Amino acid sequence: DAGVIQSPRHEVTEMGQEVTLRCKPISGHNSLFWYRQTMMRGLELLIYFNNNVPIDDSGMPEDRFSAKMPNASFSTLKIQPSEPRDSAVYFCASSSEGAGGYTFGSGTRLTVV
Amino acid sequence: AQSVAQPEDQVNVAEGNPLTVKCTYSVSGNPYLFWYVQYPNRGLQFLLKYITGDNLVKGSYGFEAEFNKSQTSFHLKKPSALVSDSALYFCAVRDPPGGYQKVTFGTGTKLQVIP
């Protein structure tokens, strides 16, 4: 199992541009979570899906942020337009039913200049 | 709502000494508790979990954690610290069965092991 796969690993973009982050969860996991990590705010839950359905998006900071999960093996987090304060490391995690915890991806380091 | 608290932003310990990273929790019902570790420029990695059973849980890299229901604590411990243990440690609590598996993380504790 390759684990949770995120792409790209690094993204540098100019303010105002659209940014799309991608995540492939572990096969068989039915819940997917997007987190953002910064020095100032720590680890923040943005949105999570269960069986491809968004359950709670209350952590999404603004309407500029959107997330989709069109099928069980793929999810995207989009920022349009991007701003410098969006610079952070974005993590995707997945989990399955039972008593287990999350498996995290390696993250995408986003820099908006 | 469930929550965890990590009262220490940073813990310093000398190599070879025992270490403790503190965590307290607040949940309704029986807790599902976890510890994760994050090395620089990496994602979070699972260390260990408590679901039920023995209050002393053993995990990866020689770490263990002690569940104390009366004190609502789940402190992470290791008998002898290594320099390579220096990292950011997160305590977490998960939704009980039947929920959406949402995990609530603490704010993290930076462990610095001094050679």
Side-chain angles (χ1 to χ4, degrees):
Chain A
D1 193 339
V4 176
I5 300 172
Q6 291 188 245
S7 64
R9 288 296 307 275
H10 302 274
E11 176 81 31
V12 180
T13 190
E14 292 185 346
M15 182 174 62
Q17 296 298 306
E18 177 181 297
V19 175
T20 299
L21 311 181
R22 297 172 175 81
C23 175
K24 177 179 170 55
I26 290 177
S27 177
H29 281 190
N30 67 331
S31 289
L32 183 141
F33 305 81
W34 282 101
Y35 284 86
R36 177 172 70 176
Q37 187 177 35
T38 61
M39 289 292 293
M40 292 296 293
R41 296 185 297 269
L43 199 60
E44 302 173 276
L45 176 63
L46 301 178
I47 184 172
Y48 65 99
F49 297 83
N50 183 259
N51 294 324
N52 311 338
V53 176
I55 301 301
D56 185 352
D57 66 353
S58 60
M60 298 284 260
E62 300 172 34
D63 291 344
R64 300 183 294 106
F65 286 70
S66 63
K68 294 182 179 180
M69 191 165 187
N71 57 61
S73 60
F74 184 66
S75 177
T76 60
L77 177 68
K78 185 179 292 187
I79 308 172
Q80 166 63 21
S82 58
E83 296 183 3
R85 59 195 168 116
D86 301 331
S87 298
V89 180
Y90 290 81
F91 289 104
C92 176
S94 69
S95 70
S96 61
E97 296 289 347
Y102 290 174
T103 300
F104 277 81
S106 297
T108 296
R109 182 175 296 276
L110 173 65
T111 303
V112 183
V113 299
Chain B
Q2 59 195 30
S3 65
V4 290
Q6 294 181 244
E8 303 153 317
D9 290 338
Q10 181 161 337
V11 170
N12 297 323
V13 63
E15 186 177 25
N17 282 3
L19 68 87
T20 299
V21 182
K22 295 179 181 177
C23 172
T24 57
Y25 66 88
S26 174
V27 298
S28 56
N30 295 321
Y32 283 20
L33 298 163
F34 301 83
W35 276 100
Y36 287 81
V37 61
Q38 185 180 28
Y39 298 102
N41 301 312
R42 306 288 296 274
L44 278 71
Q45 298 177 32
F46 170 81
L47 265 183
L48 51 80
K49 66 182 179 184
Y50 171 83
I51 304 300
T52 187
D54 194 348
N55 289 344
L56 187 63
V57 179
K58 294 188 182 299
S60 307
Y61 312 121
F63 282 92
E64 58 190 25
E66 186 170 10
F67 172 69
N68 187 317
K69 189 172 183 178
S70 63
Q71 297 184 5
T72 61
S73 67
F74 189 56
H75 301 331
L76 181 70
K77 299 182 180 183
K78 186 173 183 181
S80 178
L82 301 173
V83 173
S84 57
D85 293 330
S86 298
L88 189 57
Y89 291 81
F90 290 92
C91 182
V93 60
R94 208 202 81 161
D95 277 350
Y100 292 112
Q101 305 149 37
K102 177 184 174 183
V103 172
T104 301
F105 288 89
T107 51
T109 299
K110 182 178 180 181
L111 174 66
Q112 189 75 40
V113 180
I114 303 162

